[in-house]
Amino acid sequence: PYTTLFRSARSCMNGPRARSARARIAASFVVPARTSPRASLWIAGYRTLHMPFAAVGTARRYRVSLDADDASVVCVGRREPFRRLLTRVFDGRAQLEEVSPGWPLWNPHRLWPANAALVAVELHPFFARRFRAAGWLICPKLVRWQGLLSQMPPAEPSGSLREDLRRVKSRGYTLEESTCSRRDWREFEQEMLLPYAQQRFGDEARRPAPGLLREVRKRGTLLFLIKEGRRVAGGCMLCDGGEVWFAALGIKGGDIDLMRDGAIAGLYALGIEWANRLGMHRFDASSTSAFELDGLARYKRKWGMSPVREPLTPLIAVRVDPRHEALRLAIERQPFWIESEGDGLDIYRGPR
């Protein structure tokens, strides 16, 4: 039933126009998919519109070094969704050996190349059930972090969080709720958000899509962190019903000394207090990669949040050869979340 779609999509899947279209579609759906009373309809609409871009993909075979052994790894789809898999599980030791375009991404029985220790396939959510039934693991590229405000921060914080809270208090940080003027938004975006992203992510930093920024400005509340009368950081909160979404944050000039001085912790601590005063019940701190040991994931976890499914994220279907001991150990060192049968997430620590 997907033959017509496959043929029509083959020639335009990976060109610059397709990438631009994917970005525009994603940006226009992010805010309503999180805040609309009809979020489920927005999510379904996004997945339907995304279908033409998820019909076919390019297979790339890598040779990776694992301890004293080598393994063949095949990734099918766009290159970007597999970047963290290749860098975290295989420590960046993946050498590209072969490229083969035009693979259909809906048939789990045609996607197990010979002699592959691991196969990963970029997957549209509509096909997840089919792949799961065929024995594949379904891994989200991103997971979303949420927690109950009544339990944040935890009653018994970790040593790291206790130190963060102590620093926030000792530095005398306060919170200013902006009037959300154009000038304030410009200050936040140009002097905080973008420099922080550049400092934090380097060459991988991406400017938010203009459509997404417009939606955030229209619906969000802008908060500034103040130290000694000066704005040193900022964050944007979007409230919907009893939930507050911490949509974006930035540090003045991307100053790493301000980060070390507790500016990010100040945004979290005082932002949580602000949300509690408004009578909010749930706190959403956006997304991280699906790897359990991701630094941002560990940071959000210590504030009392847990991972939940991110409905707009790409999925990756994974199959692992259980006979490959070195591969099992590599995954054990870098476990990741996979979707469970219901609506939850489980940790995958390698084949048993």
Side-chain angles (χ1 to χ4, degrees):
Y2 305 107
T3 303
T4 302
L5 180 63
F6 167 65
R7 288 174 176 167
S8 65
R10 285 188 68 166
S11 62
C12 62
M13 262 292 295
N14 295 310
R17 290 185 178 179
R19 289 193 293 271
S20 176
R22 282 195 297 265
R24 288 196 303 272
I25 291 172
S28 64
F29 279 78
V30 169
V31 174
R34 288 180 181 263
T35 62
S36 170
R38 298 180 176 85
S40 60
L41 297 179
W42 283 93
I43 293 167
Y46 170 80
R47 291 175 174 175
T48 300
L49 291 173
H50 186 68
M51 176 70 82
F53 305 113
V56 295
T58 298
R60 296 176 178 86
R61 183 184 288 270
Y62 299 88
R63 176 64 55 182
V64 299
S65 298
L66 295 171
D67 298 329
D69 199 2
D70 284 351
S72 178
V73 172
V74 177
C75 299
V76 188
R78 294 172 296 156
R79 187 188 296 267
E80 196 278 333
F82 307 107
R83 179 177 53 82
R84 285 193 175 95
L85 174 71
L86 296 173
T87 55
R88 293 192 75 96
V89 175
F90 305 117
D91 199 24
R93 294 173 293 182
Q95 295 185 349
L96 182 63
E97 289 189 327
E98 182 182 354
V99 178
S100 176
W103 285 51
L105 299 179
W106 60 78
N107 189 341
H109 304 292
R110 294 183 59 187
L111 290 165
W112 186 252
N115 304 317
L118 182 147
V119 180
V121 179
E122 184 179 10
L123 186 67
H124 193 282
F126 288 171
F127 306 130
R129 182 176 297 179
R130 175 182 297 185
F131 274 73
R132 186 182 290 111
W136 294 67
L137 305 170
I138 308 301
C139 174
K141 179 188 172 187
L142 302 173
V143 294
R144 189 168 166 180
W145 289 84
Q146 294 184 342
L148 296 176
L149 280 160
S150 60
Q151 301 172 14
M152 296 176 60
E156 297 183 3
S158 65
S160 172
L161 183 55
R162 280 198 301 271
E163 177 59 23
D164 284 345
L165 295 172
R166 183 202 64 77
R167 188 178 290 115
V168 170
K169 185 175 181 180
S170 66
R171 299 303 189 267
Y173 289 122
T174 58
L175 203 63
E176 171 196 347
E177 184 171 335
S178 165
T179 60
C180 294
S181 65
R182 289 187 179 180
R183 181 176 180 180
D184 280 357
W185 278 111
R186 186 165 53 249
E187 177 183 355
F188 171 65
E189 293 167 14
Q190 299 298 324
E191 301 179 26
M192 298 178 183
L193 176 65
L194 297 180
Y196 170 70
Q198 185 64 45
Q199 174 65 41
R200 183 70 177 79
F201 303 107
D203 293 339
E204 296 177 7
R206 295 290 183 269
R207 183 184 181 91
L212 175 58
L213 287 176
R214 282 195 297 271
E215 286 296 310
V216 169
R217 291 188 206 108
K218 183 168 64 176
R219 306 189 188 199
T221 298
L222 186 57
L223 304 175
F224 287 111
L225 189 71
I226 308 298
K227 181 183 178 184
E228 298 175 352
R230 185 171 72 96
R231 292 173 171 175
V232 297
C236 175
M237 305 285 189
L238 278 74
C239 297
D240 174 56
E243 182 172 303
V244 58
W245 170 30
F246 195 178
L249 65 83
I251 304 295
K252 192 80 167 184
D255 189 340
I256 195 168
D257 289 332
L258 288 172
M259 300 182 213
R260 292 171 178 161
D261 207 33
I264 293 176
L267 286 172
Y268 270 83
L270 299 183
I272 289 169
E273 292 180 4
W274 175 84
N276 271 311
R277 288 196 298 270
L278 290 182
M280 298 290 108
H281 304 297
R282 185 177 295 275
F283 193 86
D284 183 322
S286 296
S287 304
T288 71
S289 82
F291 285 92
E292 184 185 29
L293 301 183
D294 180 291
L296 286 175
R298 296 168 70 181
Y299 187 83
K300 295 173 193 291
R301 187 189 298 115
K302 76 178 182 180
W303 286 92
M305 287 174 277
S306 301
V308 299
R309 293 191 183 186
E310 169 56 79
L312 299 187
T313 187
L315 298 178
I316 299 172
V318 176
R319 285 193 69 175
V320 179
D321 185 345
R323 300 168 297 179
H324 204 292
E325 179 66 12
L327 177 58
R328 183 188 67 80
L329 293 174
I331 295 175
E332 193 174 82
R333 290 191 290 266
Q334 287 289 343
F336 50 84
W337 280 283
I338 60 173
E339 294 191 350
S340 58
E341 285 289 347
D343 293 327
L345 297 168
D346 293 326
I347 283 289
Y348 181 68
R349 304 186 185 277
R352 301 298 176 188

